[in-house]
């Protein structure tokens, strides 16, 4: 896995340098540098405004009693887009701008949530020392008193008077 990540970043770096050289030879070096700085500034502004919009959507979802999972994934994607736009180069700027498109970002976030929901439904765990696999939520309702088990209950705080 480390090798793939290393090759991805190395390949992306070389591709960015190649594209910068090609664009610089056509437009001029200073124009290419100015364009990368401009995309970083415009991208940072767009990420900020869309991040605030996503935060407001998350807040309204919480006020309705819903989990803002979609907005959380979109917020993470906006952080990634911001990093891509600030990095010098045209390839990362292109992908960063793609992530900034709200319909595409919503579609990608929905796919991530769907894949995670499928993983959660099929998730099982194996108790240490046992060979059998048990469901994450046992149907018997029996609660194990092992460290890390959750015990539900109610409490009332009584202040000293």
């Amino acid at each position: 896995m480390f090798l793939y990540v290393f090759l991805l970043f190395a390949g992306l770096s070389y591709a960015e340098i190649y594209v910068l050289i090609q664009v610089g030879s056509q437009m001029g070096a200073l124009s290419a540098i100015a364009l990368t700085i401009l995309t970083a500034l415009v991208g940072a502004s767009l990420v900020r405004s869309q991040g605030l919009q996503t935060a407001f959507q998350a807040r309204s979802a919480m006020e309705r009693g819903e989990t803002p999972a979609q907005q959380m994934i979109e917020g993470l994607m906006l952080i990634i887009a911001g990093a891509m736009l600030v990095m010098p180069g045209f390839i990362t700027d292109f992908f960063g701008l793609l992530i900034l498109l709200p319909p595409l970002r919503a579609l990608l976030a929905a796919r991530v949530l769907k894949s995670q929901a499928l993983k959660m439904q099929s998730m099982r765990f194996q108790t240490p020392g046992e060979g059998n696999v048990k469901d994450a939520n046992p149907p018997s309702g029996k609660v194990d008193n092992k460290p890390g088990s959750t015990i539900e209950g109610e409490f009332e705080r009584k202040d000293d008077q």
Side-chain angles (χ1 to χ4, degrees), residues 63-140:
E63 287 174 354
R64 291 190 306 267
E66 300 172 359
T67 304
Q70 175 90 13
Q71 290 80 14
M72 290 171 61
I73 299 293
E74 287 187 29
L76 180 63
M77 293 172 76
L78 285 171
I79 291 170
I80 293 169
M84 292 178 119
L85 288 166
V86 171
M87 289 170 47
F90 295 109
I91 297 172
T92 53
D93 288 347
F94 175 74
F95 286 111
L97 289 173
L98 278 179
I99 294 173
L100 284 180
L101 297 173
L104 182 62
R105 189 174 63 244
L107 177 70
L108 290 173
R111 285 189 136 189
V112 168
L113 285 173
K114 184 178 179 182
S115 70
Q116 291 301 316
L118 290 174
K119 286 180 185 178
M120 293 289 284
Q121 287 177 355
S122 64
M123 186 173 79
R124 297 196 180 280
F125 71 92
Q126 188 169 359
T127 305
E130 294 183 14
N132 60 348
V133 175
K134 294 184 176 182
D135 286 302
N137 295 319
S140 65

